[in-house]
Amino acid sequence: MFKQIAIYWPLSVILLTTLPARAQHKMVPMLMQNGRYTFVDSLKRNTGIELFFDRAFPFSEHTAAVRVNGKWALINKMGANVSEALYDEINPVSEGLASAIQNHQGVYIDSTGKSVLQGLFVRTTSFSEGLAAVSDGRHWGYIKHDGTIALPLEFEYARKFSQGLAPIKMDGLWGYIGKKGNRAIPIMYQEATPFSGGVAAVKLRNKWMLINPQGITIRQTNFEEMLGFSEGLAPAKYNGKWGFVNTNGRFVIEPRFEGADGFENGYARVFNNGKRYYINRLGSAFIEGGE
């Protein structure tokens, strides 16, 4: 028998059960026939938790973001709430902190569910390599875990650090900086994504291409759009459909989707005919969902 746990959310009570041993597999959200989300394991089996959420995202660092009555919270793999459902947005936990939006202000949530670094910034993003991009509403810069400024808020936009480099936008164009703020790759691209596996996708003169950390073009492409690499693959759009390419720029999952997100923990979310579902690295549908 499973022990029951009552988790109290604002305006609702969700009855949960503890995880059976088999649910130690990866847990992925699945849309149920009632229009709400639950979690199943990597073998498509019920985890033993009766979760009913408006929206749910995959687990990251043992927590998952879920939406209840229009507000977001974090839960753990037992289904217990780590934070209260107070937030307008929550990003996955990274380096022990989850960036969130509460009352139009950026905030971070620590591993105990406590809000930290509250009211300092309008926008916050996930930490990566010890730094996080933040905004005061006009400019972007980077902070450390304790909230101190690592790089001044002077950019039009900024993305996460990866392999020691981060894409930043100035005067309408993108380039890359190092952790000391040095201009590592010239600011000349229409779009730029974070590095992964020694490769980044960038757009120059309306053409997408792959570059290395020295800024050298290693492959030209004829893709219409690209997203960043993760787990060795990147979503790429060709002839109006999305597929996934490897770091050599070759499709390993043929373009057949209307939309696609990057891979995380071995699965990627894709979209077709108004429905979303997860695929594995072979391109096989893992869990079908709804809109």
Side-chain angles (χ1 to χ4, degrees):
M1 296 181 62
F2 302 131
K3 180 182 176 182
Q4 293 183 331
I5 306 173
I7 305 301
Y8 292 88
W9 303 88
L11 306 180
S12 67
V13 178
I14 302 172
L15 188 64
L16 306 174
T17 58
T18 57
L19 287 173
R22 73 180 188 182
Q24 300 309 311
H25 296 274
K26 293 176 182 177
M27 298 169 65
V28 182
M30 183 177 77
L31 187 67
M32 304 298 287
Q33 290 184 348
N34 64 5
R36 306 188 77 189
Y37 284 82
T38 187
F39 286 86
V40 297
D41 69 15
S42 57
L43 299 179
K44 300 185 181 181
R45 300 177 303 193
N46 193 306
T47 59
I49 304 179
E50 296 297 329
L51 296 172
F52 298 105
F53 299 127
D54 303 329
R55 289 288 305 278
F57 288 109
F59 277 86
S60 175
E61 296 189 16
H62 310 293
T63 63
V66 296
R67 191 175 70 191
V68 180
N69 294 334
K71 293 293 185 178
W72 288 87
L74 293 176
I75 63 167
N76 62 24
K77 288 188 175 181
M78 299 299 291
N81 55 318
V82 175
S83 74
E84 294 184 63
L86 300 173
Y87 305 96
D88 302 310
E89 298 177 22
I90 293 183
N91 289 317
V93 173
S94 179
E95 299 185 5
L97 293 171
S99 66
I101 299 294
Q102 183 181 17
N103 300 325
H104 307 292
Q105 292 292 315
V107 64
Y108 285 93
I109 308 168
D110 67 16
S111 59
T112 69
K114 179 183 177 182
S115 296
V116 297
L117 307 182
Q118 196 166 11
L120 299 179
F121 306 102
V122 175
R123 296 290 301 182
T124 56
T125 66
S126 300
F127 275 91
S128 178
E129 298 188 357
L131 299 175
V134 296
S135 173
D136 61 4
R138 297 189 308 137
H139 299 97
W140 287 78
Y142 292 87
I143 62 169
K144 301 177 183 178
H145 283 89
D146 61 3
T148 58
I149 301 295
L151 295 173
L153 278 65
E154 60 183 5
F155 308 116
E156 291 176 19
Y157 200 80
R159 292 179 173 143
K160 72 174 185 177
F161 270 92
S162 180
Q163 299 187 242
L165 299 172
I168 53 91
K169 188 177 184 181
M170 297 189 76
D171 299 323
L173 294 174
W174 289 86
Y176 292 81
I177 60 171
K179 288 188 175 181
K180 295 183 179 180
N182 54 300
R183 305 299 192 260
I185 298 176
I187 300 172
M188 61 181 186
Y189 301 106
Q190 293 165 278
E191 293 286 349
T193 65
F195 276 91
S196 177
V199 177
V202 298
K203 186 178 183 181
L204 180 65
R205 302 187 193 94
N206 296 319
K207 298 287 186 181
W208 282 94
M209 61 194 67
L210 306 182
I211 63 172
N212 66 18
Q214 289 71 49
I216 298 172
T217 300
I218 58 177
R219 185 176 177 86
Q220 300 277 356
T221 81
N222 56 357
F223 304 142
E224 295 151 23
E225 291 184 55
M226 287 192 75
L227 300 181
F229 281 90
S230 60
E231 301 185 10
L233 300 176
K237 188 177 184 182
Y238 180 71
N239 283 342
K241 295 289 187 178
W242 288 85
F244 292 83
V245 298
N246 61 20
T247 53
N248 293 319
R250 296 186 177 90
F251 277 106
V252 295
I253 299 176
E254 293 301 312
R256 62 181 188 270
F257 309 110
E258 295 172 2
D261 294 333
F263 272 87
E264 183 178 354
N265 296 319
Y267 299 99
R269 189 172 58 170
V270 295
F271 308 84
N272 259 340
N273 301 319
K275 298 200 172 188
R276 69 184 76 191
Y277 54 97
Y278 287 87
I279 60 171
N280 60 23
R281 292 175 61 86
L282 298 177
S284 301
F286 171 59
I287 295 174
E288 296 191 15
E291 62 167 306

